Amino acid sequence: MKLPTRLSTRVDEAVSWRVARQFEEVHGRLGHLEDQVRGLAERLDQLDGRDGELDKRLGELERRLDPVERESSWSANELARLAPQAAAFEERLERQQRPIVLTGELADLPEARLLVDVVREEHARVRTRLALVSAYEERLRRLEQRLREEPPA
């Protein structure tokens, strides 16, 4: 069955109006999305520019850190080499300063000497560890002070 021309024309106009309206809505959304994509592209360009700046600053920091690492490594090596010698020297010096006092029976003397030797050895180990910690803290303090004194890049 064929619709009358007038009715057919009205249906065609209604469909065309509806399609045109939906097209305008989609076109409006597309324009909004294009604006957002453009904004994101600009932001990405800005971030790329900052990326180069951050790479430059990171390179500068790495360049400044290299001598500190070398000196720190050398200092740690020297400290590890000298610490046992210093502890042994302190122990010998302490032994020279202490008078030998004997009280009690001669049978107790070997056990007492053994106990004193054990205590001295432990004391020397503790002294060595404390000397290492003290030297490490002093080194850190000097490095931190040097970093505070250097002007920022």
Side-chain angles (χ1 to χ4, degrees):
M1 172 175 170
K2 190 172 179 186
L3 292 173
T5 308
R6 190 172 178 202
L7 188 57
S8 175
T9 306
R10 281 187 78 187
V11 169
D12 285 344
E13 287 175 358
V15 168
S16 294
W17 177 79
R18 179 114 179 164
V19 167
R21 186 173 167 209
Q22 287 181 349
F23 177 76
E24 287 173 5
E25 286 178 16
V26 169
H27 186 67
R29 281 191 234 142
L30 181 60
H32 179 68
L33 289 174
E34 286 175 344
D35 291 342
Q36 285 182 340
V37 167
R38 208 172 296 115
L40 289 173
E42 289 172 7
R43 176 101 188 219
L44 184 60
D45 289 341
Q46 290 172 353
L47 290 177
D48 282 343
R50 288 193 69 203
D51 189 33
E53 179 185 324
L54 291 175
D55 285 342
K56 182 181 174 185
R57 290 184 72 190
L58 182 60
E60 176 65 21
L61 288 175
E62 286 175 349
R63 184 190 65 76
R64 288 175 53 198
L65 185 61
D66 286 341
V68 173
E69 285 179 339
R70 279 194 301 274
E71 190 172 332
S72 173
S73 177
W74 181 83
S75 297
N77 184 38
E78 288 297 303
L79 188 60
R81 186 177 67 80
L82 293 174
Q85 295 174 15
F89 180 72
E90 284 180 3
E91 185 178 336
R92 283 192 310 222
L93 188 61
E94 194 173 308
R95 228 184 271 148
Q96 292 293 326
Q97 291 175 346
R98 275 192 238 133
I100 298 176
V101 178
L102 296 177
T103 57
E105 297 182 7
L106 287 177
D108 297 334
L109 189 59
E111 184 179 350
R113 283 189 177 159
L114 180 64
L115 287 174
V116 168
D117 287 340
V118 169
V119 168
R120 283 182 180 162
E121 288 174 7
E122 187 60 29
H123 187 249
R125 282 191 212 105
V126 169
R127 215 174 31 253
T128 302
R129 288 183 190 131
L130 289 175
L132 287 172
V133 168
S134 176
Y136 180 74
E137 287 178 348
E138 176 61 21
R139 178 71 182 144
L140 283 177
R141 184 194 64 75
R142 281 186 275 156
L143 287 173
E144 289 171 349
Q145 182 180 6
R146 188 181 311 157
L147 284 175
R148 275 187 249 120
E149 291 173 358
E150 288 184 9

